[in-house]
Amino acid sequence: MNKKLLLIPLALLLAISLVAIGCPATPTTPPTTPPTTTPPTEPTTPPPDDIDTRDSIVIGQAVSLSGPNYVIHASGAMVPQTLWVEQVNAEGGIYVEEYGKKLPIEWIQYDDKSDHGTMVKLLEKLILEDKVDFIFPPCSTSWLFAAAPIANKYEYVMLGAEGGAESLEELVQDLPYVFLVLNYSNTQIPVLADQFVEWGVKTVAINFLEDLHGVEYSNRALSELTKRGIEVPVIKSHPFEIQDMSPIIKAAQDANVDAFCNMTYPGQNILVTAQAIELGYNPKVFFGTVGPFALWFRDIFTAPTIEGLIGGGAWNKKSSPAAAEFYDASMDRFGEGGIDMWGNLYYWASLQFFQQAIEKAGTLDQKVIRDIIATETFDTCLGPTWFDEKQRLAEECHPGEIGQWINGEWEVILPKDKATAEPIYPKPPWPTP
Amino acid sequence: MNSLRVTPKSFLSPGIFLLILVLLAASPLYVSPYTIVLLTTIFMFVILTVSWAIFSGPTGYISLAPAAFFGVGIYITAMLGKELPLLVVVGIGGLASFVLALIIGALTLRLRGIYFAILTFGLVELIRHFLLFWETNITGTRGRIVVLVENDVIFYIMLAILVLLMLTTYFLRRSKFGLALQSIGENEEAAAHRGINVTMVKVIVFAISAIFMGAAGAIMATKWTYIDPYIAFNPLFSFLPALMAIFGGMGQLYGPVIGAVIFTYLEEVLTTRFPYYYMLIFGVVLVVAILYLPNGLVGLLPRLWRRRWRKGGSAKQNAST
Amino acid sequence: MIKIILDVVVAGLLMGGIYALIAVGFSLQYGVARVLNIAHGEFIMIGAFITWTMYTVFGINPLVSLAIVGPIIFIIGFLLHKVLFARLRISSPSPAAYEGKSLLAAFGLLYIIQNVAILIWGAEVKGYSYLTSSFSLWGAVFATNRLVATLLAIGIGLAFYLFLARARIGKAIRAAAQDPATASLMGVNINLVLALCFGLGALLAGFGGSLISMMYSIQPAMGFQYTIIAIIVVVLGGLGSILGSFIGGFILGLVGSIVAYWQPALSLVAYYVIFILLLLIRPAGIMGK
């Protein structure tokens, strides 16, 4: 009797494997993938064997569409990615020489439920089973970390979106197919620290989120600030679940620091800003990494309230005519919720870059396209755009590192040669209600 | 039900058992590469669910600690994966979970019912938050990258763990421990009166069940590539085994297996086919299943069997394919 | 020194008021209706989002919104019990089986409610500014909206306590909590009482959500963290003890505040340490028998 019970599960497993034989790798799209065996450098490439059947380019993405991580995707790269796919398809698609025609994009999205394990599994499904032509990255730094080795293993080009970290940069050196698009602490913190010196900031309080983002930004800030002779008497951290930031604010207030820096995500930056307003805490500099760059962030507090608030970023309509065009397109399609004035122009540029790389390659071969991305310069909304030897979007192409709310507009203030307005210092006190 | 007994008995002999094993073991030769990935995930959930049911099934103690054992395994690989051979790491993962379970069991198994459930849940959260605090504030660790391992290797190790678990479950059920556990579930005081060392039996079975969760975590970590405390000690991995086991039906040994397989497969289909409505559909399925399948999916099987049987001989053919 | 003590103690009490409110709802649902409502936080989330919508779209004062949020969420909770939990209760062979199943059903609800909220409101973090002034107590400064929220939480809690103690239906609820079988023999419509309890628990969660939206940012995935707080508080106060939950909320708020003064990152660790120690030493909770 018991033996029988033991065997039934195994019979079930057998059934699964039988099902697996019955329907091996059911593709949801026409059988695709061009031959990748031919060395791409050879001048006479035979036509791909799917030249008659292919009628689209399939891009797959395993990303958080539910759970806590969805919010970062929904207000971040989802906007440029959606716009790009729509625009490309409105023009008939991307011209690929090998096929002698324009191929529209088919975008498959799977929900990773904000779970890393699921993301990794679904990414492999997209690559192995759906045999998509390209992948879009998942959302947020630690997800990029998890996806990067997988993309590289199967030699799929991955242009990162939301997220970046100095330790990710180290990892990427061994992963030739992975490129980082967004700017992060290594370019943002030094210019901010220089500006602090210029303003005469003597003391800083740091409040960081207990994840990769917070740890990296706070470490970098600590070293860059102390290097410049600025003291950091208060350094506190908070996990995701904390709602009450008042002990941290009061600690900064008691230490009477000049600048209060919050290395954390939108939800937490809203909390810390709201509670600083309530407590009437007015440091000369109020800085938050992720969050302040959004129009909805301004609207939560109203423009006069957050006058002078500084944050990570940055770009705006004045950055370039192409930036203004993208801004208007985002606004038309997604409303104010779609305006992210830190990352979205970076992602938009990376997609324009990607499109030109495919067109230049004239093939869908990952290796050829990877080499083009690594070496070529294309014109995008950021002007001439290229990736540096560390596979990062070159610092020269960044539209800006740090932004500030001035007269209800998100202005680029650092670095100085890309600034769209003169920074305000000190931050005016919160208006009294 | 009686008419059925004939078929399984003759059908499922030890020879068939081996055949199934061989078929599964050989599956990398004949199924698509992604099917191997999917099977690995299914095995993982079957391991978590069945090892959860080893202890919680007979005793009725709802443990919400699996995430702790699973997470310990994950963390062992994240820390030692680069230094030691994979199999050794998996072994250490299982062992570490065993030790942790001994400690947790000894501390908590005095509590009963809902108290035990929320206490184990609290322990997982405590471990997670403490580790998080420790890593960010004391050691300054920024998450860990895990070595990549070939999918087939992960598949085989996971399969091996599953087979070991099945054998353990089978022998445990027939051993003195299994019988003692059963009587504890029926009436703990009476069992103690009969001279059973109630605490020891509970703690040891609890710890044995943790070995497999830890080993599964240790091997799964190589699949996940990036590990931090939020990922490793996700409370979802405490709830899912319980959900899957109850969903499948706890009355029989194969209930949790069926629950885990169907649950995982359903999730796979929903997250890929209906990404924006995944939670909604999943929730509805869960609620409907609870409302209309009082004994889990397993409770449904006899009903279906009977209906098919009455229809005539053609059912036999269908059932065996 | 006095300023520091005041800072810590008052902040703790201000935090505790909300904890108490959400825990009382949770306690009612578990203590009487026997549903360990893991979706409790989702009702908080719904309350918060309705209040947010009222304020930002229609300009309705969050305090006025309470009168709108309450009935809506009460009806949702009441109907959920009628359609789902009451049927589960009848079909379950034993109370223990019912507890397991209702936990599972609540887990399904958590998924459904969260997904529906994303479909209605989107996934972005939301918030609004309300009563952003502050008040000072011998040099220690606190936000006005928290004081208002805490006073309301206490007020609602007291009103609810009086309702249980004095009103006829309140007495029926207490009878049902102590002994459902006898209560139904005594002519108490047990199904109605349980549905009422579940609805009232949801209503208190909704009120909690309204008050939370006045102070904190909100998003569809916010619920679970409040569910965890509710579980901790309810254990602290003793499972099923309404008064215990109320007091437990304030205790947890105080503990959190004291630890956070020293190291905010450890406040959650402290919550769980207390929670676990209490369960090991005195599982019945501070007010349990």
Side-chain angles (χ1 to χ4, degrees):
Chain A
M1 176 71 193
N2 264 333
K3 199 179 284 176
K4 191 181 79 192
L5 291 183
L6 171 67
L7 291 173
I8 288 173
L10 286 161
L12 201 74
L13 292 175
L14 171 71
I16 303 164
S17 49
L18 286 176
V19 170
I21 310 167
C23 47
T26 40
T28 54
T29 51
T32 50
T33 53
T36 47
T37 44
T38 331
T41 40
E42 265 179 45
T44 50
T45 320
D49 51 11
D50 61 345
I51 187 154
D52 299 323
T53 51
R54 173 180 287 282
D55 50 13
S56 67
I57 297 174
V58 184
I59 297 181
Q61 183 179 31
V63 71
S64 309
L65 299 174
S66 64
N69 199 41
Y70 176 45
V71 49
I72 300 185
H73 175 61
S75 54
M78 189 181 83
V79 172
Q81 282 162 356
T82 311
L83 277 176
W84 181 73
V85 170
E86 287 173 358
Q87 282 193 8
V88 166
N89 286 347
E91 288 160 12
I94 298 177
Y95 182 77
V96 185
E97 201 185 351
E98 217 173 36
Y99 295 91
K101 61 182 172 188
K102 281 187 167 182
L103 296 171
I105 291 170
E106 191 186 328
W107 182 18
I108 307 177
Q109 273 189 307
Y110 292 159
D111 179 13
D112 69 26
K113 316 173 289 172
S114 295
D115 171 54
H116 285 77
T118 308
M119 187 278 290
V120 169
K121 185 186 69 165
L122 292 177
L123 187 61
E124 286 201 286
K125 181 183 169 75
L126 288 163
I127 293 173
L128 290 173
E129 185 163 288
D130 302 337
K131 299 195 165 50
V132 296
D133 301 308
F134 297 106
I135 52 169
F136 275 168
C139 162
S140 199
T141 310
S142 57
W143 265 264
L144 279 185
F145 254 108
I150 310 273
N152 196 72
K153 176 180 166 188
Y154 296 105
E155 302 188 337
Y156 267 66
V157 171
M158 187 172 91
L159 292 170
E162 301 100 334
E166 291 169 42
S167 41
L168 188 54
E169 181 185 311
E170 291 157 25
L171 175 72
V172 163
Q173 301 320 305
D174 302 327
L175 307 175
Y177 283 84
V178 179
F179 295 87
L180 300 179
V181 170
L182 192 63
N183 58 335
Y184 46 89
S185 47
N186 70 330
T187 53
Q188 291 183 312
I189 298 295
V191 290
L192 184 66
D194 284 340
Q195 185 65 54
F196 280 4
V197 172
E198 195 185 313
W199 281 335
V201 169
K202 295 273 182 291
T203 51
V204 174
I206 292 175
N207 168 30
F208 69 96
L209 180 68
E210 290 182 341
D211 90 330
L212 192 71
H213 171 84
V215 172
E216 287 220 335
Y217 270 79
S218 61
N219 283 346
R220 184 78 189 210
L222 198 61
S223 73
E224 295 286 340
L225 291 171
T226 44
K227 208 176 4 180
R228 288 167 176 77
I230 297 173
E231 280 178 54
V232 185
V234 179
I235 178 154
K236 301 257 181 192
S237 68
H238 56 271
F240 274 104
E241 292 87 345
I242 276 199
Q243 297 284 308
D244 186 8
M245 297 282 182
S246 60
I248 300 169
I249 296 168
K250 285 176 178 174
Q253 201 166 18
D254 291 343
N256 198 20
V257 292
D258 296 323
F260 185 39
C261 297
N262 299 286
M263 280 69 174
T264 187
Y265 287 152
Q268 288 73 19
N269 263 317
I270 292 174
L271 289 172
V272 79
T273 309
Q275 293 171 24
I277 294 171
E278 290 161 6
L279 296 173
Y281 173 47
N282 278 299
K284 291 180 187 143
V285 176
F286 198 100
F287 172 80
T289 49
V290 191
F293 52 73
L295 280 187
W296 48 261
F297 188 90
R298 177 193 69 188
D299 295 343
I300 286 172
F301 297 104
T302 73
T305 308
I306 58 165
E307 178 77 0
L309 195 88
I310 297 176
W315 63 278
N316 61 24
K317 285 179 86 161
K318 290 183 272 183
S319 294
S320 69
E325 206 177 290
F326 171 63
Y327 184 101
D328 293 337
S330 307
M331 188 67 106
D332 284 347
R333 179 70 174 74
F334 292 97
E336 292 204 342
I339 306 292
D340 157 357
M341 285 182 285
W342 177 345
N344 275 3
L345 197 66
Y346 286 83
Y347 315 145
W348 185 242
S350 78
L351 293 166
Q352 293 181 324
F353 189 96
F354 184 48
Q355 180 173 0
Q356 293 176 67
I358 297 173
E359 283 165 354
K360 169 127 190 172
T363 169
L364 301 181
D365 188 299
Q366 303 282 337
K367 174 80 174 64
V368 179
I369 293 168
R370 189 221 86 88
D371 291 343
I372 288 173
I373 292 173
T375 52
E376 294 283 332
T377 299
F378 293 112
D379 250 340
T380 71
C381 58
L382 303 178
T385 306
W386 68 97
F387 285 87
D388 65 14
E389 74 288 350
K390 288 181 162 177
Q391 292 151 244
R392 300 172 304 192
L393 187 77
E395 191 178 348
E396 292 86 339
C397 313
H398 292 177
E401 307 291 349
I402 303 291
Q404 186 174 35
W405 286 104
I406 299 170
N407 290 326
E409 294 293 330
W410 180 248
E411 302 284 3
V412 181
I413 57 163
L414 293 172
K416 291 210 163 101
D417 56 333
K418 287 163 186 161
T420 56
E422 272 299 304
I424 303 178
Y425 179 84
K427 181 187 88 64
W430 315 112
T432 40
Chain B
M1 187 75 197
N2 264 341
S3 58
L4 294 177
R5 292 241 163 118
V6 191
T7 330
K9 213 172 231 167
S10 53
F11 177 63
L12 293 166
S13 63
I16 300 289
F17 171 88
L18 274 177
L19 182 66
I20 294 166
L21 200 60
V22 169
L23 271 175
L24 272 178
S27 54
L29 298 176
Y30 58 81
V31 299
S32 72
Y34 178 69
T35 309
I36 295 300
V37 176
L38 183 59
L39 277 176
T40 309
T41 310
I42 291 178
F43 289 171
M44 179 194 88
F45 277 112
V46 172
I47 292 170
L48 287 179
T49 308
V50 171
S51 30
W52 180 86
I54 289 181
F55 175 76
S56 295
T59 57
Y61 281 74
I62 305 282
S63 159
L64 291 178
F69 307 135
F70 189 58
V72 164
I74 292 175
Y75 241 79
I76 293 287
T77 304
M79 290 192 299
L80 304 176
K82 290 198 177 81
E83 278 102 54
L84 295 172
L86 190 60
L87 278 176
V88 176
V89 173
V90 172
I92 297 176
L95 204 66
S97 293
F98 179 79
V99 173
L100 179 70
L102 278 184
I103 299 168
I104 292 184
L107 270 175
T108 61
L109 279 167
R110 299 185 289 121
L111 294 175
R112 299 217 190 138
I114 207 85
Y115 288 98
F116 177 73
I118 49 188
L119 178 59
T120 47
F121 173 76
L123 276 168
V124 178
E125 292 290 293
L126 178 64
I127 294 174
R128 177 163 70 126
H129 281 106
F130 184 74
L131 203 58
L132 198 61
F133 168 78
W134 187 264
E135 294 218 316
T136 46
N137 290 283
I138 312 291
T139 60
T141 316
R142 300 176 286 188
R144 298 158 194 271
I145 297 291
V146 182
V147 277
L148 271 187
V149 175
E150 279 306 309
N151 285 344
D152 286 357
V153 176
I154 301 177
F155 170 81
Y156 280 119
I157 296 182
M158 202 63 100
L159 181 63
I161 299 170
L162 179 60
V163 171
L164 283 177
L165 171 64
M166 284 300 179
L167 291 174
T168 310
T169 312
Y170 173 67
F171 287 113
L172 196 70
R173 280 203 157 198
R174 316 179 91 207
S175 73
K176 270 199 312 201
F177 271 110
L179 297 174
L181 207 62
Q182 200 70 46
S183 55
I184 290 171
E186 278 152 17
N187 188 335
E188 199 159 331
E189 282 79 17
H193 268 290
R194 285 215 307 276
I196 295 172
N197 186 340
V198 171
T199 310
M200 193 193 71
V201 170
K202 283 193 296 185
V203 171
I204 287 186
V205 176
F206 189 61
I208 288 175
S209 76
I211 297 177
F212 301 97
M213 300 185 191
I219 188 62
M220 210 56 192
T222 61
K223 195 106 216 61
W224 289 359
T225 59
Y226 173 83
I227 302 300
D228 68 22
Y230 276 108
I231 298 169
F233 294 94
N234 184 347
L236 207 60
F237 287 100
S238 287
F239 283 101
L240 285 180
L243 285 174
M244 288 177 180
I246 301 172
F247 184 68
M250 302 247 284
Q252 314 282 357
L253 170 61
Y254 55 88
V257 179
I258 293 174
V261 171
I262 294 185
F263 213 92
T264 315
Y265 191 73
L266 184 70
E267 233 188 23
E268 165 87 9
V269 171
L270 291 179
T271 48
T272 54
R273 298 280 163 82
F274 311 97
Y276 286 94
Y277 301 92
Y278 149 73
M279 293 173 81
L280 185 62
I281 302 173
F282 194 74
V284 170
V285 169
L286 205 60
V287 170
V288 169
I290 298 155
L291 263 181
Y292 296 104
L293 302 175
N295 299 314
L297 285 173
V298 177
L300 194 68
L301 283 184
R303 273 196 267 166
L304 279 182
W305 270 109
R306 251 178 311 209
R307 199 169 296 168
R308 281 200 144 181
W309 216 248
R310 271 193 226 113
K311 273 185 191 164
S314 62
K316 195 176 177 181
Q317 267 181 322
N318 290 342
S320 57
T321 44
Chain C
M1 190 62 203
I2 291 178
K3 177 178 172 289
I4 293 174
I5 293 172
L6 265 175
D7 244 347
V8 171
V9 172
V10 177
L13 294 177
L14 292 181
M15 201 75 201
I18 298 293
Y19 286 2
L21 190 61
I22 58 180
V24 167
F26 188 84
S27 182
L28 191 67
Q29 288 176 342
Y30 181 73
V32 186
R34 289 284 143 193
V35 179
L36 192 74
N37 186 10
I38 203 90
H40 193 63
E42 314 316 305
F43 291 94
I44 297 176
M45 183 263 293
I46 296 285
F49 269 94
I50 294 177
T51 313
W52 176 85
T53 310
M54 293 293 167
Y55 187 75
T56 53
V57 179
F58 305 109
I60 296 172
N61 187 310
L63 301 179
V64 178
S65 290
L66 285 176
I68 302 159
V69 169
I72 293 178
I73 300 205
F74 173 79
I75 291 169
I76 296 175
F78 186 84
L79 290 180
L80 270 178
H81 193 276
K82 281 268 174 207
V83 175
L84 180 59
F85 294 105
R87 296 176 63 174
L88 275 182
R89 199 175 78 90
I90 293 160
S91 68
S92 297
S94 69
Y98 173 59
E99 280 187 18
K101 279 186 186 177
S102 58
L103 175 67
L104 224 63
F107 205 87
L109 281 181
L110 182 157
Y111 275 60
I112 296 171
I113 297 174
Q114 220 183 89
N115 202 151
V116 169
I118 289 177
L119 293 177
I120 297 177
W121 286 292
E124 303 94 66
V125 182
K126 293 190 165 61
Y128 58 88
S129 299
Y130 176 69
L131 284 179
T132 53
S133 57
S134 54
F135 67 95
S136 168
L137 220 69
W138 293 286
V141 181
F142 304 97
T144 313
N145 57 25
R146 288 201 200 186
L147 181 70
V148 172
T150 307
L151 291 178
L152 268 173
I154 295 173
I156 294 167
L158 276 178
F160 188 71
Y161 192 75
L162 286 176
F163 164 77
L164 280 188
R166 299 284 160 79
R168 248 195 98 211
I169 188 81
K171 284 176 185 160
I173 287 175
R174 281 189 302 149
Q178 268 153 18
D179 189 350
T182 322
S184 63
L185 282 178
M186 305 276 286
V188 174
N189 181 345
I190 195 81
N191 276 330
L192 180 71
V193 166
L194 295 184
L196 266 179
C197 277
F198 195 83
L200 284 173
L203 170 130
L204 290 175
F207 281 165
S210 288
L211 300 180
I212 284 166
S213 76
M214 286 165 40
M215 306 185 285
Y216 301 136
S217 55
I218 61 174
Q219 56 167 311
M222 72 189 245
F224 197 63
Q225 71 193 65
Y226 291 104
T227 307
I228 291 174
I229 295 282
I231 293 177
I232 298 177
V233 173
V234 165
V235 167
L236 204 63
L239 275 178
S241 159
I242 306 281
L243 188 62
S245 301
F246 202 70
I247 296 170
F250 285 99
I251 292 178
L252 195 73
L254 270 178
V255 170
S257 179
I258 291 166
V259 177
Y261 173 75
W262 172 56
Q263 175 55 277
L266 276 179
S267 53
L268 282 160
V269 175
Y271 286 0
Y272 287 111
V273 169
I274 290 179
F275 170 76
I276 286 162
L277 284 181
L278 194 82
L279 271 177
L280 289 176
I281 298 162
R282 191 177 159 73
I286 45 174
M287 296 295 287
K289 287 146 228 143

